[in-house]
Amino acid sequence: MTGYDLVVVGGGPAGVAGALSAAQAGLRVALVDAGPRLGGQYFRHRASSLPSGRGADRFVRQCRALRTTADLLLDHKVWAVERDAEAFTVHGMAGEEERPVTLTCRSLLIATGAHDRPLPFPGWDLPGVFTAGGAQALLKGEGVPVGRRVVVSGTGPFLLPVAAGLAAAGASVAGVFEANGLLGLARHPMLAAGKTGEALGYGAALARHRVPYRTRHAVVAAHGSARVTHVTVARLDPTWRVLSSRTVECDAVAVGYGFVPQIDLAVQLGCATAHSADGSPVVVVDEGQRTSVAAVYAAGEPTGVGGAALAELEGRAAGLAIAHDLASRSGGEPVPGVLRRRGERLRAFARALQEAYPVQPGWQSWLADDTLVCRCEEVPVSAIREAMDLGATDARSVKLLARPGMGWCQGRICGYAVSCLAGERPQATRRPIVQPITLGCLERIEDEQPR
Amino acid sequence: MNFEITVDGRAVPVVAGQSVGAALHAAGITSWRSTRHEGRPRGLFCGIGVCFDCLVTVNGRESQRACLVRARPGDEVTTS
Ligand SMILES: Cc1cc2nc3c(=O)[nH]c(=O)nc-3n(C[C@H](O)[C@H](O)[C@H](O)COP(=O)(O)OP(=O)(O)OC[C@H]3O[C@@H](n4cnc5c(N)ncnc54)[C@H](O)[C@@H]3O)c2cc1C
Ligand code: FES
């Protein structure tokens, strides 16, 4: 017998909304998340507090309701999903003792979010350099600012809450350096309507803390021996080539050039993917968040990075569609028109943002021969160029010759940069194991009763 | 509630609920391992378990991501 009607992987805004709307429609639902608390990235919070930010009250209400209507498996990492004719088998690991847990279900919702997309530059592997999301996670989830004097750099509106959060926590923010031009945001007709209020709020917070905000500027090198002590900040031309540079002292750096959707489970199951406006592979879904594989749904960042509000909306749409589909109701789209139209607006907004804050090719001119591109396998730019000289024509052949992406993180951090250097768009990678597992855990799977 | 863990024998304070990595970083320890080939220092980078820069040994369990493992009273952390 199949244990659950639905297993949701991911407890961020998308997963929680999806699990709740499916459970409220009467389905037997389990939600699995690797973290100790629901929230995902946007609603990440400390053990002693509740989530904050836009929509937090609503999220807290959803979590309360979910606790009484669905099974919550927190501290559970999903490392693979298998499919046979009738059901899915979800393999996870529970707790620090890494106990194997097996769930079976009739349908699956992938709501695994995204991770940061960093770009390499000389010194980016020095301690004290963080991804922008990592700096935010440390602050929101742990109450620890990354440094006393912090430089924030990269592209996109996400830099603003990161800088504002650090400043509010008492760090001195030595500058926010946005590599793209001034207000790609405000120029865009779509954007004027939407989120300018939120951006202005962060702008005011930065002004209050006297944080300089510079466009067409970026951190192009970090310096120090045991940890970062200063950075080179460059003024950039529109393609991000360096025009001039200066030194800024700091003990931490937060850099972010967008996000990479986490689509491993969908790729494992054979779901069709496409490229989003910012070049990332994303899972293709229809109006009911259905992927190309029957009974597999995706919501939130795996279908394209669009922020917490869109993630929640997609989660709800998925929950409704799953309930509809499992009841084998034919005809009629289960997702109400008003939800669909709001989703379309938010997706158009997300696309506009990605177009307003593109990664420009000039970042490659920041690299020195010995700049590491792959941090895990310590592969420098020169080795990647050698592989290209030897005849490698894409990221995969570069990987085989020079080993970038072969280490612990399996290319999650360097994949985008390696693809750009190899002259192609990042492809959806097939990682048979989504989370590292111990042999001990593998060994004990047989003893485990599927739920 | 605050408590301590030891890191290579040194006491490091923890605010309950914090990860081992956050406690280390808050205590001013920003790097705690060196890379295999070039011996480069590494600490936290992605903060969410994706980059594997922050590996530590916790109570004898090797290769744990310090940003994910929650610190518990009396934990013994060793680094390489
Ligand atoms: C580090 C980081 C910090 C961010 N901080 C902010 C912020 O402060 N403000 C903001 O507006 N946006 C932030 N974002 C952007 C964020 O991606 C979205 O706005 C929003 O959180 C997306 O919601 P989601 O439900 O799609 O995914 P998420 O909120 O990312 O939730 C995904 C969940 O899936 C879980 N998961 C993933 N893989 C597995 C697995 N294999 N097994 C079990 N569980 C798994 C994760 O633990 C996570 O809880 C951040 C992104 C990142 C990467
Ligand atoms: S900081 Fe990236 S895995 Fe821990």
Side-chain angles (χ1 to χ4, degrees), chain B residues 43-55 65-68:
Chain B
L44 296 172
F45 178 61
C46 75
I48 60 164
V50 173
C51 74
F52 295 82
D53 269 7
C54 65
L55 298 179
R65 283 167 280 178
C67 65
L68 296 185

Side-chain angles (χ1 to χ4, degrees), chain A residues 9-16 32-35 37-44 76-79 111-116 131-134 136-137 140 158 161-162 198 202 259 262 265 299-302 305-309 311-312 434-435, chain B residues 46-48:
Chain A
V9 187
V16 166
V32 191
D33 195 285
R37 290 178 283 284
L38 294 175
Q41 304 305 352
Y42 183 73
F43 290 122
R44 185 181 282 277
H76 280 62
K77 297 175 187 133
V78 172
W79 57 269
T112 43
H115 60 76
D116 277 276
T131 63
Q136 187 78 337
K140 278 188 173 180
F158 182 56
V162 173
E198 204 175 323
Y202 291 126
F259 296 102
Q262 305 205 113
L265 291 173
E301 315 289 49
V305 171
E312 195 231 310
V434 171
Q435 292 276 338
Chain B
C46 75
I48 60 164

Side-chain angles (χ1 to χ4, degrees), chain A residues 36 41 44 46 75 96 115 124-125 127 129-131 134 137-138 142 144 146 225 227 262 372 375-378 408-409 412-413 435-436, chain B residues 15 17-19 22 25-26 30-31 35-38 40-42 44-48 50-53 55 61 63 65 68-70 72:
Chain A
Q41 304 305 352
R44 185 181 282 277
R46 302 185 62 184
D75 265 320
E96 278 162 29
H115 60 76
W124 75 306
D125 67 323
V129 179
F130 282 80
T131 63
L138 205 63
E142 314 275 353
V144 178
V146 282
S225 51
R227 86 175 277 182
Q262 305 205 113
L372 291 191
R375 305 162 68 98
C376 302
E377 288 293 310
E378 298 172 77
W408 271 102
C409 94
R412 287 179 176 85
I413 299 292
Q435 292 276 338
Chain B
V15 178
Q18 269 177 346
S19 69
H25 196 82
T30 50
S31 74
T35 59
R36 270 181 304 156
H37 300 300
E38 295 180 36
R40 293 176 182 242
R42 289 290 161 82
L44 296 172
F45 178 61
C46 75
I48 60 164
V50 173
C51 74
F52 295 82
D53 269 7
L55 298 179
R61 285 200 327 275
S63 302
R65 283 167 280 178
L68 296 185
V69 181
R70 260 172 325 290
R72 284 188 285 219

Side-chain angles (χ1 to χ4, degrees), chain A residues 313-382:
Chain A
L313 195 131
E314 290 189 354
R316 275 167 62 196
L320 295 173
I322 294 163
H324 176 274
D325 297 352
L326 278 185
S328 335
R329 273 173 274 169
S330 56
E333 184 55 49
V335 184
V338 33
L339 213 64
R340 285 212 304 274
R341 284 189 295 278
R342 242 193 97 216
E344 276 157 29
R345 274 203 304 279
L346 287 171
R347 264 186 287 274
F349 175 73
R351 197 162 45 245
L353 274 188
Q354 294 188 339
E355 283 161 1
Y357 295 98
V359 171
Q360 297 288 352
W363 68 267
Q364 294 184 28
S365 70
W366 309 344
L367 305 172
D369 278 350
D370 63 353
T371 304
L372 291 191
V373 177
C374 170
R375 305 162 68 98
C376 302
E377 288 293 310
E378 298 172 77
V379 182
V381 172
S382 57

Side-chain angles (χ1 to χ4, degrees), chain A residues 33-120:
Chain A
D33 195 285
R37 290 178 283 284
L38 294 175
Q41 304 305 352
Y42 183 73
F43 290 122
R44 185 181 282 277
H45 57 287
R46 302 185 62 184
S48 55
S49 65
L50 287 176
S52 58
R54 243 187 200 205
D57 291 347
R58 186 181 154 82
F59 182 75
V60 170
R61 280 197 304 275
Q62 290 176 341
C63 294
R64 283 209 188 104
L66 194 61
R67 244 167 244 135
T68 60
T69 47
D71 287 351
L72 283 183
L73 287 83
L74 298 174
D75 265 320
H76 280 62
K77 297 175 187 133
V78 172
W79 57 269
V81 178
E82 288 176 298
R83 181 169 59 121
D84 65 27
E86 293 113 73
F88 298 94
T89 307
V90 178
H91 295 285
M93 254 175 326
E96 278 162 29
E97 68 283 8
E98 307 194 318
R99 180 168 45 82
V101 171
T102 310
L103 308 174
T104 56
C105 53
R106 296 164 67 196
S107 56
L108 184 75
L109 173 58
I110 298 168
T112 43
H115 60 76
D116 277 276
R117 180 166 69 188
L119 291 177

